[in-house]
mmCIF file of all heavy atoms in Angstrom:
data_model
loop_
_atom_site.group_PDB
_atom_site.id
_atom_site.type_symbol
_atom_site.label_atom_id
_atom_site.label_comp_id
_atom_site.label_asym_id
_atom_site.label_seq_id
_atom_site.Cartn_x
_atom_site.Cartn_y
_atom_site.Cartn_z
ATOM 1 N N ALA H 179 -6.396 45.358 89.086
ATOM 2 C CA ALA H 179 -6.958 46.709 89.207
ATOM 3 C C ALA H 179 -7.964 47.003 88.099
ATOM 4 O O ALA H 179 -8.904 47.774 88.279
ATOM 5 C CB ALA H 179 -5.832 47.744 89.182
ATOM 6 N N LYS H 180 -7.753 46.375 86.934
ATOM 7 C CA LYS H 180 -8.686 46.553 85.825
ATOM 8 C C LYS H 180 -9.749 45.454 85.774
ATOM 9 O O LYS H 180 -10.521 45.388 84.823
ATOM 10 C CB LYS H 180 -7.908 46.580 84.502
ATOM 11 C CG LYS H 180 -6.965 47.768 84.383
ATOM 12 C CD LYS H 180 -6.252 47.758 83.042
ATOM 13 C CE LYS H 180 -5.323 48.953 82.912
ATOM 14 N NZ LYS H 180 -4.617 48.959 81.600
ATOM 15 N N GLY H 181 -9.759 44.601 86.765
ATOM 16 C CA GLY H 181 -10.800 43.582 86.830
ATOM 17 C C GLY H 181 -10.442 42.266 86.163
ATOM 18 O O GLY H 181 -11.346 41.518 85.774
ATOM 19 N N GLY H 182 -9.146 41.958 86.017
ATOM 20 C CA GLY H 182 -8.743 40.700 85.414
ATOM 21 C C GLY H 182 -9.156 39.508 86.261
ATOM 22 O O GLY H 182 -8.798 39.425 87.446
ATOM 23 N N LEU H 183 -9.921 38.585 85.678
ATOM 24 C CA LEU H 183 -10.479 37.477 86.444
ATOM 25 C C LEU H 183 -9.393 36.515 86.920
ATOM 26 O O LEU H 183 -9.443 36.021 88.057
ATOM 27 C CB LEU H 183 -11.515 36.728 85.601
ATOM 28 C CG LEU H 183 -12.195 35.532 86.261
ATOM 29 C CD1 LEU H 183 -12.943 35.959 87.509
ATOM 30 C CD2 LEU H 183 -13.116 34.824 85.267
ATOM 31 N N VAL H 184 -8.403 36.246 86.076
ATOM 32 C CA VAL H 184 -7.370 35.273 86.438
ATOM 33 C C VAL H 184 -6.559 35.769 87.623
ATOM 34 O O VAL H 184 -6.319 35.028 88.599
ATOM 35 C CB VAL H 184 -6.467 34.980 85.224
ATOM 36 C CG1 VAL H 184 -5.301 34.082 85.629
ATOM 37 C CG2 VAL H 184 -7.262 34.338 84.110
ATOM 38 N N ASN H 185 -6.127 37.001 87.581
ATOM 39 C CA ASN H 185 -5.356 37.547 88.702
ATOM 40 C C ASN H 185 -6.201 37.664 89.964
ATOM 41 O O ASN H 185 -5.694 37.532 91.081
ATOM 42 C CB ASN H 185 -4.776 38.917 88.321
ATOM 43 C CG ASN H 185 -3.475 38.801 87.544
ATOM 44 O OD1 ASN H 185 -2.635 37.948 87.842
ATOM 45 N ND2 ASN H 185 -3.325 39.626 86.528
ATOM 46 N N TRP H 186 -7.505 37.933 89.803
ATOM 47 C CA TRP H 186 -8.387 37.962 90.967
ATOM 48 C C TRP H 186 -8.471 36.585 91.618
ATOM 49 O O TRP H 186 -8.422 36.458 92.847
ATOM 50 C CB TRP H 186 -9.776 38.430 90.555
ATOM 51 C CG TRP H 186 -10.753 38.480 91.685
ATOM 52 C CD1 TRP H 186 -10.908 39.469 92.607
ATOM 53 C CD2 TRP H 186 -11.698 37.452 92.030
ATOM 54 N NE1 TRP H 186 -11.888 39.152 93.507
ATOM 55 C CE2 TRP H 186 -12.411 37.909 93.182
ATOM 56 C CE3 TRP H 186 -12.036 36.218 91.489
ATOM 57 C CZ2 TRP H 186 -13.412 37.161 93.783
ATOM 58 C CZ3 TRP H 186 -13.039 35.475 92.094
ATOM 59 C CH2 TRP H 186 -13.712 35.943 93.226
ATOM 60 N N LEU H 187 -8.550 35.535 90.798
ATOM 61 C CA LEU H 187 -8.574 34.183 91.346
ATOM 62 C C LEU H 187 -7.259 33.837 92.028
ATOM 63 O O LEU H 187 -7.243 33.160 93.069
ATOM 64 C CB LEU H 187 -8.872 33.175 90.223
ATOM 65 C CG LEU H 187 -10.296 33.209 89.650
ATOM 66 C CD1 LEU H 187 -10.404 32.260 88.459
ATOM 67 C CD2 LEU H 187 -11.310 32.831 90.723
ATOM 68 N N LEU H 188 -6.143 34.280 91.444
ATOM 69 C CA LEU H 188 -4.845 34.027 92.071
ATOM 70 C C LEU H 188 -4.759 34.705 93.440
ATOM 71 O O LEU H 188 -4.222 34.131 94.397
ATOM 72 C CB LEU H 188 -3.722 34.526 91.154
ATOM 73 C CG LEU H 188 -3.519 33.752 89.843
ATOM 74 C CD1 LEU H 188 -2.423 34.402 89.009
ATOM 75 C CD2 LEU H 188 -3.174 32.292 90.122
ATOM 76 N N LEU H 189 -5.290 35.921 93.532
ATOM 77 C CA LEU H 189 -5.296 36.608 94.824
ATOM 78 C C LEU H 189 -6.156 35.869 95.843
ATOM 79 O O LEU H 189 -5.805 35.781 97.029
ATOM 80 C CB LEU H 189 -5.805 38.036 94.644
ATOM 81 C CG LEU H 189 -4.819 39.049 94.050
ATOM 82 C CD1 LEU H 189 -5.503 40.377 93.803
ATOM 83 C CD2 LEU H 189 -3.614 39.229 94.967
ATOM 84 N N GLN H 190 -7.294 35.326 95.393
ATOM 85 C CA GLN H 190 -8.147 34.579 96.306
ATOM 86 C C GLN H 190 -7.466 33.313 96.813
ATOM 87 O O GLN H 190 -7.737 32.851 97.920
ATOM 88 C CB GLN H 190 -9.465 34.223 95.610
ATOM 89 C CG GLN H 190 -10.277 35.414 95.151
ATOM 90 C CD GLN H 190 -10.605 36.375 96.282
ATOM 91 O OE1 GLN H 190 -11.060 35.958 97.360
ATOM 92 N NE2 GLN H 190 -10.365 37.665 96.058
ATOM 93 N N LEU H 191 -6.570 32.769 96.013
ATOM 94 C CA LEU H 191 -5.836 31.569 96.410
ATOM 95 C C LEU H 191 -4.551 31.898 97.164
ATOM 96 O O LEU H 191 -3.799 30.985 97.520
ATOM 97 C CB LEU H 191 -5.501 30.730 95.164
ATOM 98 C CG LEU H 191 -6.700 30.165 94.397
ATOM 99 C CD1 LEU H 191 -6.239 29.493 93.108
ATOM 100 C CD2 LEU H 191 -7.475 29.162 95.261
ATOM 101 N N GLY H 192 -4.291 33.171 97.388
ATOM 102 C CA GLY H 192 -3.090 33.564 98.117
ATOM 103 C C GLY H 192 -1.839 33.579 97.263
ATOM 104 O O GLY H 192 -0.724 33.534 97.794
#
Side-chain angles (χ1 to χ4, degrees):
K180 295 181 179 180
L183 180 60
V184 174
N185 277 321
W186 179 82
L187 290 174
L188 292 177
L189 283 174
Q190 299 303 312
L191 296 174

